[in-house]
Structures are given as structure tokens and as C-alpha cells.
Amino acid sequence: MNILGISCFFHDAAAALVQDGIVTAAAEEERFSRIKHDASFPIRAIEFCLRTAKLRAEDLDWVVFYEKPFVKFDRILMSTLATHPRSFRVFRESMIKWLAEKLWVKGLIRKRVGIPQERILFSSHHLSHAASAFYCSPFSEAAILTVDGVGEWATATFGVGRDRNIELLGEIRFPHSLGMLYSVFTAFLGFEVNEGEYKVMGMAPYGTPKYADDVRKLLRLHDDGSFSLDMDYFAYHYSPDTAFNGKFEHLFGAPRDPKSHFFTESSGYPAYFGDKPANYKELCRLNQHYADIAASIQLVTEETLLAMARALHVKTGLPRLCMAGGVALNSVANGRILRETPFKELYVQPAAGDGGGAIGAALYAYHAVLGNPRNYVMEHAYLGEEHSEADIKSFLDANGIRHEYVEDDDRLIERVVDALMQGRVVGWSQGRFEWGPRALGNRSILADPRRADMKDIVNTKIKFREPYRPFAPSVLAERAEEYYDLKSPERHYPARFMLLVVPVKESKRQVVPAPTHVDGTGRLQTVFKKTNPRYHRLIETFDKATGVPVVLNTSFNLKGEPIVNTPAEAFSTFSKSGMDMLVLDHFIVEKENS
Amino acid sequence: MSGNKNSLITNVATVKELLVFFWRSKIWWLTPVVLALVLLSAIVVLTESSALAPFIYTLF
């Protein structure tokens, strides 16, 4: 049975193919369209799924959309009417989008995919999230917590999954939303919503949560694990372009200028920011205020999630938890949930945000609606497109790019390890690209984790990222416990997907300084021989040469661009950046002057 | 061509389904308000393009 899941129109449009209960292909549209967080109808991702499985549209048994447009339309009408006339612009803007496109999803699927309307199903937004986590997890029974900005009406749900069924026990409804609260602060701190949340999380350790009590004025936690927001501080429920109002600014001061550089005395001032400004000290003091606000919202978010998880544990008594929704990408909070709640195991699917809804919708139809038994665990995220050696060679030859083909993989890996040890930065592209926002060793930029200056080198040469954003460590799963405060790392799936921040063991912080954050933590990726043997062998070889089973791993893209897919995109990124070596499966391209 | 026709048929069915949804959700009283506002918005759609601000696409 072939089921196609689709999510789109808000952010991170995606398509996923489930064949007899197994996810055989999944990708976000941005990887093909090259538009970051592309929300448009994911026709390229759909075509990729069908191409990968060698299917035609008529071979699809069902196409499942990840949410219910009418219920969402109902929410928009009701909430804009409730805040009329302040919400007139929101109403106008949203109607433009809804009348032009969003209301006609069924017709659009019928036209673009080419299947009869009887084969089109609709899941609901948070059910799709819940399904994306539970049905991909190895658990036969688990509590489920979904938290995001908003779906139809729900912004968070509490539930239970048992075998092939999912039951949602309760929900928190719009406008009360933890995801929106975090996004409001993301906007206040000068970052783009749905993109800059990682930056807030990265900025937080540079501050102290001295405004936590002020943040708590905005959010009231209830005994049952739910919460409500004091909407007097917000404008997002009626304004199309403002998230907060004067009362909010009265509490936290003026928002940070999005165009200004962010740095504090402890973050450093990278060379790519240019010369230090004359009022450097004053700007450091000002930025410290914003870092303190970031620390405060991060802390309150963690506290809220912990309270929600604990309440869910009381309700269900189950030892395992599945989490989904954009907030489940908050890897710092995930680490605390695992350490500080009674839940013994946690599962977060790599595309926990809206893109993941495509997988959830398809799996929900397969198991809960059609009653098929479970036979799948998402153990890795390599579900994207791959490019054959013939394609790579033909691209390199056609463009006259000097390259070397190294058939012996051990020799190739030794070359890469030598380069890393010499402080060179390597673009590493192999196999199928990753599902979700993280590069997990198939579209990665790699560097030596032992050098403290490597973070600056990678930033200066390639990423031009803000200096407070950490890089991630890829570590051999069997050796992770030596370096990270994580018992039995093989049991913790979020660590496979770089969705868990844990403390780096104190004795190892100086051993791997580059991917260790300022607060002594690491957003690790545990690498398994079974799921990525070649990447595992690379780290193993690095370990043999240096005694350190870790490499620095960051996503293979330039700032503001989606992660690369094709050899052409990998080469273009390599050429435009200061990377020294590019590996495309068995092909090596090196810069002449490096 | 037949894809467009099928899509149009599906869209007409969608309007019917939406009205049924309003009726079942007991928000049928919204229908005239919605129709009026939708007409107003349709005029806006035809007369100006929209530059969506950062927040709206997340929510609406």
C-alpha cells in the first residue's frame, strides 16, 4: 500500500511516502526549490518521492494532507472576528491567501498530483505531529506531547499512543501558545520567526535569566500542566506584522535592531563583523540585556515544558515520551526533560516541526484509520535524494572541475582525516540527504573538534554565523558516554538526530572545545555503524589518528540557504566559501591554494 | 484541461463541504458575515498584491 503525506502552506512544506508502513522517501520542498523554509505546495518533493519508489501517481492508494483546512479557517474567522476591528488587516491578508490557495487544497492535490478526490484524506495538525513521533518511535506504548505555534485550534496536545492507536487526551488552544511565546521573543530579539529560534537558544547561555519573573508575568502555569498567556502583552492574534505591544516593551525595553550585530564580552567579536565599533563596550552592555532576555525566555520555556511533561506522566503513568511540534526542536529543553522528569526514554523525530506532519499524516492513515500493524522504526534520517557516481562524474566533467576519483574508501577516508588534522575544512556529501533541519553526516561540513579556534575558522570561512551559535559534535555512539553526560546513549533517539543538548564531561571540555558551547554543553549526534557505516568509519579513523572519536559537524550550506542537495549545489557552496576540500561520495575536489 | 475541470469540480465540492462544516459546527450564522467579508477581500485580491509580514504566515 502506497500512501503519500503532504504538509504545506505555512512553513517547511514537505512530502513523504509510506509503503506498507515503511517510510521510503521524505523531503522538504526547500531542498529542491532552494527557497529556505519554502511553504509552497511541495510538488518537487512529491515528484522526488514518486521517482524514488518508481511509482506513478495512479499507484498511490491514498494522499493525506497533514491538517484540516476548514477547522483552521474556522479558527481564523472566529479569532479575527473576536478581535475586530483591530484584526481587519489580518483578516484581509489571510483571506487573500485562503481564497487564492489554502481553501482549495483538495482540488490542488487532485490537479497537481493527479489522483481522484476519493483518495484524498485529511488528518489534523497535532494528530499528524503526534503520529510522526509515535509511529516512528520504537515504543509500543508511550505518552505523547505535541507543542508548536498553532495548528487548527490547538497549540499543544497531551496524548497516549498504544500500538496502532493514538488518543489525544487534552489540548491548549490558540491564542495561548508556548511556540508563539518563544517566537514573540525571537522577533523581539531581532531574529526571523521560524528561523531564528535556534539563535535565541544559542544566545541564552551568554546571559543570566534575570528577567524570568517578568516572562512569568506573561504565562500562567496551571496544575494540570496547561498554561495560559496574558494576551494584554501580545499583538500576534490581531496584527499581521507585530508580535508584541507597548505593554510588552514597557516590561522588556525596546526590541533589538535586527540589522545590528550581536556580541557580548564573552561571545567574542568575529573578524567578519569588521572593525570593532568605537562604542564597543556600550554595545556589549546593551547586547548583554538581550542575552539576559534570551536566557529568561529559554528558562521559562524549559520550566513550562517540564511542567507539561510531568503532568502528562502523572496522567498516563507511562515511562516513555514522544514529542513533536516545532518546540520539540528545542534540544536544550529536550535534554532537561530526559534528565528531570520521570520519563526514562524520549523519542523526537528528526523533522519535528511542520515538515514532519507529512510523515505523521501518512502513518496515521496507515495505522489508525486503515488498522494496519506497526512494522517501522525511524532509526536514521537518510530519506532524501541521492546522486549516482555517474551523475557526479558527469557534472564534474561537464564543468571542467579538476577532481580525483578514489575507489578505495579507506584511502579516501584517511585523506579526509589527514585534511581535518591539518585544520582544513571539508565539505562531505554522500548518499541520501537528511530528513529534517539537521545535517547528520550526509550533507555536512566537517572540521577538527580539538582546536578551540576551529569555531571561528569555520564561521569566518564559510558560515558567517553569529559568534554565539554553537557547532555540533558527531560522536561514535559506542564512545559517546566517555565524552557526554548521557547514560546508554544508544537508547536515546533524539541524540541520533542532534535533538538533545547534554553536558560535556568536564574532563573532555578542553579535548573538544570547538563543538562545546560556552555553558559546557554539546548538541551531540551519536553516529551508528548500522545506520551510517561510512560516516562512522570516518570518525573511527579520526579517533585512531587522534584518540578523539568526535568530529565537528555543521550543515552543508551558506548562511540563509537551504542545505545542499545535488553535486552542483555542493560544488557551488564549496566554491563560494573558504572550504578546503570537497568530497562527493568517492570524488575529491580540492582548492589549489589550500 | 481535464485536470483543470476536475479541479474545478473538486473546488465546487469544497464550497459545499465548507457550508456543511459551518452548519455542523453550529457556526452557520457566520455565513453571511463571511460572504460579505470574502467579497470585500476578493476586491482586495483583485486590486492589490500583498507583502506578507513575518508573523502572519505562521498563524493565518
Side-chain angles (χ1 to χ4, degrees):
Chain A
M1 181 180 287
N2 302 311
I3 305 180
L4 181 74
I6 296 174
S7 64
C8 62
F9 292 154
F10 292 88
H11 45 92
D12 300 321
L17 183 66
V18 172
Q19 295 186 279
D20 296 326
I22 295 164
V23 181
T24 55
E28 280 156 339
E29 184 71 0
E30 66 164 31
R31 302 296 181 97
F32 304 98
S33 69
R34 311 309 300 160
I35 300 166
K36 194 142 174 137
H37 301 302
D38 192 351
S40 60
F41 189 79
I43 191 66
R44 298 173 189 86
I46 292 168
E47 285 165 358
F48 149 72
C49 287
L50 296 177
R51 193 166 63 238
T52 301
K54 297 185 173 60
L55 295 180
R56 293 163 306 162
E58 49 267 42
D59 298 324
L60 293 171
D61 295 283
W62 301 99
V63 176
V64 193
F65 192 66
Y66 82 125
E67 63 180 17
K68 292 187 188 293
F70 291 174
V71 185
K72 196 164 211 164
F73 193 55
D74 166 42
R75 189 254 297 166
I76 291 162
L77 292 173
M78 298 302 271
S79 60
T80 49
L81 281 175
T83 49
H84 188 75
R86 287 185 301 182
S87 58
F88 178 74
R89 282 175 58 227
V90 161
F91 181 82
R92 193 190 67 178
E93 294 283 346
S94 55
M95 283 307 123
I96 290 170
K97 277 284 175 194
W98 276 85
L99 286 176
E101 195 170 46
K102 292 179 182 176
L103 204 52
W104 318 109
V105 171
K106 198 187 260 186
L108 195 64
I109 291 174
R110 189 176 178 184
K111 183 177 164 188
R112 306 286 305 268
V113 182
I115 64 153
Q117 61 182 24
E118 300 75 29
R119 287 198 229 157
I120 301 169
L121 302 174
F122 291 83
S123 174
S124 73
H125 189 101
H126 278 264
L127 205 49
S128 297
H129 274 320
S132 76
F134 179 63
Y135 294 130
C136 290
S137 79
F139 311 144
S140 57
E141 187 177 51
I144 304 172
L145 180 61
T146 67
V147 192
D148 72 357
V150 63
E152 291 92 358
W153 273 102
T155 65
T157 61
F158 303 86
V160 177
R162 287 195 177 91
D163 190 22
R164 64 191 82 173
N165 297 310
I166 289 175
E167 186 188 358
L168 297 183
L169 307 168
E171 66 176 27
I172 298 169
R173 283 164 78 94
F174 185 81
H176 307 287
S177 164
L178 188 59
M180 287 311 304
L181 178 69
Y182 206 88
S183 292
V184 167
F185 277 94
T186 301
F188 177 82
L189 292 169
F191 304 122
E192 198 182 322
V193 170
N194 284 331
E195 164 66 20
E197 281 77 3
Y198 290 114
K199 300 178 186 178
V200 177
M201 198 169 73
M203 190 193 265
Y206 288 95
T208 50
K210 56 168 74 164
Y211 299 105
D213 280 342
D214 286 331
V215 179
R216 290 186 194 108
K217 286 178 189 162
L218 313 180
L219 179 140
R220 206 167 138 206
L221 261 173
H222 307 297
D223 292 340
D224 62 354
S226 67
F227 61 83
S228 48
L229 298 183
D230 183 343
M231 297 312 295
D232 286 349
Y233 291 92
F234 304 103
Y236 64 78
H237 52 308
Y238 60 78
S239 168
D241 46 20
T242 318
F244 46 86
N245 59 21
K247 198 172 170 186
F248 185 98
E249 285 189 44
H250 185 71
L251 203 54
F252 296 105
R256 193 175 79 81
D257 177 3
K259 292 189 196 95
S260 67
H261 287 309
F262 181 88
F263 51 87
T264 66
E265 296 226 30
S266 54
S267 78
Y269 189 88
Y272 52 87
F273 277 2
D275 293 334
K276 265 189 189 177
N279 58 345
Y280 172 74
K281 290 267 179 201
E282 188 193 329
L283 290 174
C284 279
R285 264 197 307 280
L286 179 64
N287 282 329
Q288 192 57 54
H289 165 71
Y290 293 116
D292 293 340
I293 290 176
S296 305
I297 179 61
Q298 177 62 29
L299 177 68
V300 174
T301 301
E302 290 167 21
E303 287 172 356
T304 308
L305 283 169
L306 286 169
M308 293 169 88
R310 285 179 187 131
L312 183 57
H313 185 265
V314 169
K315 257 182 223 166
T316 62
L318 296 170
R320 297 181 181 89
L321 175 66
C322 291
M323 281 183 70
V327 180
L329 293 170
N330 193 313
S331 42
V332 178
N334 292 348
R336 284 195 66 187
I337 286 170
L338 199 54
R339 289 192 299 276
E340 298 177 38
T341 70
F343 288 110
K344 301 280 178 249
E345 285 178 76
L346 174 67
Y347 186 89
V348 185
Q349 188 252 130
D354 274 7
I359 276 186
L363 287 172
Y364 186 76
Y366 186 75
H367 296 299
V369 179
L370 302 167
N372 293 299
R374 291 175 64 189
N375 54 350
Y376 174 70
V377 176
M378 190 184 283
E379 294 196 317
H380 64 77
Y382 311 113
L383 296 165
E385 189 170 41
E386 75 176 327
H387 303 278
S388 67
E389 283 196 351
D391 286 346
I392 298 169
K393 183 163 173 41
S394 118
F395 162 75
L396 293 170
D397 289 344
N399 291 280
I401 298 162
R402 233 168 64 181
H403 62 272
E404 201 181 328
Y405 179 77
V406 185
E407 195 174 1
D408 180 348
D409 218 23
D410 289 337
R411 202 162 70 80
L412 182 143
I413 284 171
E414 274 166 25
R415 284 268 298 276
V416 173
V417 166
D418 280 347
L420 293 174
M421 286 167 63
Q422 287 164 32
R424 298 168 81 197
V425 181
V426 178
W428 173 263
S429 173
Q430 59 159 354
R432 300 180 72 172
F433 69 69
E434 298 87 344
W435 166 241
R438 303 271 77 93
L440 302 170
N442 280 14
R443 296 292 186 280
S444 292
I445 294 170
L446 308 178
D448 189 340
R450 301 169 302 159
R451 289 176 54 169
D453 60 345
M454 195 45 80
K455 192 174 150 181
D456 286 340
I457 291 172
V458 176
N459 260 334
T460 308
K461 282 186 163 184
I462 298 135
K463 304 289 274 194
F464 309 108
R465 303 202 310 183
E466 300 78 359
Y468 53 86
R469 292 179 65 191
F471 287 113
S474 290
V475 56
L476 296 179
E478 61 273 24
R479 303 280 303 279
E481 213 172 333
E482 283 174 40
Y483 281 72
Y484 297 93
D485 197 358
L486 183 68
K487 286 210 168 81
S488 312
E490 69 282 354
R491 281 173 55 206
H492 301 295
Y493 279 77
R496 295 175 183 227
F497 308 134
M498 228 182 247
L499 289 171
L500 201 63
V501 169
V502 296
V504 183
K505 291 214 163 144
E506 218 155 316
S507 60
K508 300 294 186 187
R509 287 179 191 175
Q510 288 313 308
V511 181
V512 286
T516 298
H517 204 20
V518 64
D519 57 353
T521 61
R523 182 162 49 84
L524 81 166
Q525 177 205 355
T526 48
V527 180
F528 290 78
K529 196 173 198 166
K530 185 182 160 197
T531 53
N532 197 337
R534 194 165 182 243
Y535 191 43
H536 186 274
R537 200 156 70 246
L538 188 153
I539 304 171
E540 213 171 34
T541 309
F542 187 81
D543 175 42
K544 274 183 196 146
T546 64
V548 176
V550 180
V551 295
L552 181 152
N553 171 10
T554 185
S555 53
F556 198 153
N557 63 326
L558 295 175
K559 192 181 176 189
E561 291 183 1
I563 299 174
V564 301
N565 167 11
T566 64
E569 288 152 14
F571 180 76
S572 164
T573 300
F574 170 71
S575 311
K576 286 183 203 156
S577 72
M579 248 180 278
D580 303 295
M581 178 189 265
L582 172 65
V583 179
L584 298 166
D585 282 326
H586 283 266
F587 296 86
I588 293 181
V589 181
E590 287 187 89
K591 288 209 175 115
E592 282 169 17
N593 297 330
S594 65
Chain B
M1 195 63 187
S2 91
N4 285 340
K5 192 181 158 197
N6 286 339
S7 175
L8 187 66
I9 293 167
T10 307
N11 288 350
V12 171
T14 298
V15 172
K16 282 187 203 159
E17 286 168 13
L18 182 63
L19 293 173
V20 170
F21 171 78
F22 279 166
W23 184 262
R24 287 194 183 147
S25 310
K26 294 178 181 153
I27 50 171
W28 50 268
W29 51 271
L30 267 178
T31 310
V33 181
V34 170
L35 286 177
L37 292 171
V38 160
L39 275 176
L40 187 65
S41 300
I43 295 165
V44 175
V45 174
L46 295 172
T47 54
E48 63 179 89
S49 65
S50 160
L52 290 183
F55 251 82
I56 187 165
Y57 74 97
T58 321
L59 300 175
F60 302 102

